[in-house]
Amino acid sequence: QSGGIASAWRLGALRAGVTVKGVADHMLSEQATTVAGDAGLAAVLAGLTVGVAYRNLGGDLWPADAATGAPAVGLPSELRGGVSYRIEPLHVTVGGEFSQAQGAASRLAAGLEWWPAAMLGVRAGTANLSDAVGQVTLGLTAMWRGMALDYALAAHPIGLTHRVSLGYAFGARSTDFAAEAEADAAARRAAEPPPVAVVPEAVRVAPAPVAPVGRVNLAVSDFSAQGVSASDSAVISEMFRTELIKDGSYDVIEKSNMDKVLAEQSFQQTGCTSAECAVKLGKVLNVRYLLVGTFGKLLDQYVLNFRVIDVETAKAIYSDDARSLSSQAQVSSSIQTMIRRMIKATARNR
């Protein structure tokens, strides 16, 4: 049996964590206890995660009754290293692990995890690929707010083993999201070359803008906020505009121009997610396509949904979503992936 307190830190792409725990071992009528710790370090890049951990740093297991004269038993330490990759559209993570326990042969393990919903995850794998018999493992995780209930089942020739754990995460999780995302967007804008100022000719009336051949006008409506702040959803809208402008497949209406036109027409776009509202907004902006969406939070995970509405036909020509997002890096990566899929899927409509 064991129980303890865990703490984690994040620095850019690096993650670090430590655990201090109490360990108790029962054998017949005897009991031994000790205090130990675990430490780990991981690097996260897009959907790829590489990590290493060392478990059971600490003292020996001492018998509870010193009068028995039983000797202390060393707590076996263990070195682990692993790599995983998250397939975002499927909400599936696959991974492999190498472990070396003190006094035992090294082991290789592999498995996959699937999150069909933001609050529920299931997993399966094998604990030892080098074992001819094999050790199949199954698991289930349920999350609610900061709490997580985990159950694991392992099949072994000597019988089934069960493990149940309950955890609670506290501290800042989402309050800095808007500031972090805005700082990332500002850094990208600072890296881009400044625009070249063009002085218009005197006594010349500028013609109405015409989209280049092969491109059509598109506007991104302010995303509707669901369980997040309006500033968070505004940042998401701007990230979509930035990625679409960088791609260049559409002529994207700038946010400042949108606000000016809408103010002149006294049009309120907040919460405009229905096809009917999108058509009205698109006609006011004089665009062919309008991108509308929602950005929300379910428990401790972010959820993104968006659709592209054809203003002329009032039909949605494309839709996509991303769920189980837990960090600004995952949100940014998901937006880039969704934009690439959208551009490819809507190429025949341009």
Side-chain angles (χ1 to χ4, degrees):
Q1 297 176 343
S2 66
I5 300 175
S7 181
W9 302 269
R10 182 178 69 177
L11 180 61
L14 296 179
R15 310 287 190 272
V18 295
T19 300
V20 178
K21 59 187 179 181
V23 181
D25 188 33
H26 300 266
M27 180 64 71
L28 299 178
S29 61
E30 297 183 355
Q31 177 179 336
T33 60
T34 190
V35 176
D38 304 332
L41 181 67
V44 181
L45 181 61
L48 181 67
T49 301
V50 180
V52 62
Y54 197 86
R55 301 180 61 228
N56 296 335
L57 293 161
D60 296 333
L61 285 166
W62 291 94
D65 184 4
T68 61
V73 178
L75 190 65
S77 58
E78 183 180 38
L79 177 65
R80 290 192 173 196
V83 59
S84 67
Y85 183 74
R86 181 176 177 81
I87 307 172
E88 186 57 47
L90 302 178
H91 313 298
V92 171
T93 301
V94 295
E97 180 189 61
F98 167 83
S99 63
Q100 177 67 65
Q102 183 179 0
S106 60
R107 299 195 308 174
L108 291 175
L112 62 86
E113 182 180 57
W114 175 47
W115 285 82
M119 61 183 299
L120 180 66
V122 293
R123 59 188 181 276
T126 175
N128 194 352
L129 290 172
S130 59
D131 191 338
V133 178
Q135 300 178 29
V136 177
T137 62
L138 302 172
L140 179 69
T141 300
M143 299 181 64
W144 184 71
R145 296 187 184 274
M147 294 183 292
L149 177 64
D150 186 88
Y151 169 73
L153 169 69
H156 192 272
I158 64 174
L160 297 177
T161 60
H162 307 266
R163 186 185 71 183
V164 178
S165 62
L166 179 65
Y168 179 73
F170 54 91
R173 288 186 290 273
S174 64
T175 55
D176 296 331
F177 176 81
E180 185 179 354
E182 179 58 30
D184 181 66
R188 292 199 302 268
R189 289 195 296 267
E192 297 176 354
V196 178
V198 178
V199 180
E201 297 180 13
V203 195
R204 179 182 177 185
V205 179
V210 178
V213 177
R215 298 203 303 179
V216 295
N217 291 335
L218 178 144
V220 179
S221 174
D222 287 346
F223 274 47
S224 177
Q226 298 180 347
V228 299
S229 67
S231 61
D232 283 356
S233 61
V235 170
I236 293 298
S237 306
E238 188 60 30
M239 292 172 73
F240 269 89
R241 290 189 192 95
T242 300
E243 291 302 323
L244 285 165
I245 292 173
K246 288 167 59 178
D247 178 85
S249 297
Y250 287 97
D251 276 350
V252 182
I253 307 301
E254 286 285 356
K255 170 66 172 171
S256 58
N257 293 336
M258 284 180 54
D259 292 341
K260 181 179 178 180
V261 172
L262 295 178
E264 292 175 351
Q265 299 294 325
S266 300
F267 192 98
Q268 177 59 257
Q269 66 166 317
T270 303
C272 186
T273 57
S274 67
E276 181 181 0
C277 180
V279 169
K280 293 180 179 178
L281 178 58
K283 289 182 178 179
V284 170
L285 295 173
N286 193 27
V287 296
R288 172 69 184 278
Y289 297 127
L290 186 72
L291 189 150
V292 298
T294 62
F295 179 55
K297 189 177 182 185
L298 178 62
L299 303 180
D300 287 333
Q301 304 291 324
Y302 295 103
V303 180
L304 259 175
N305 295 278
F306 81 93
R307 290 173 294 154
V308 179
I309 307 296
D310 187 326
V311 176
E312 294 181 359
T313 64
K315 294 182 179 180
I317 63 171
Y318 184 78
S319 65
D320 204 347
D321 69 273
R323 296 176 290 172
S324 302
L325 308 175
S326 58
S327 67
Q328 188 269 331
Q330 286 187 351
V331 172
S332 179
S333 176
S334 296
I335 290 176
Q336 294 174 5
T337 301
M338 289 190 292
I339 290 298
R340 287 195 296 268
R341 291 200 296 257
M342 169 198 153
I343 298 301
K344 182 178 180 180
T346 60
R348 61 181 179 274
N349 297 316
R350 296 197 299 272

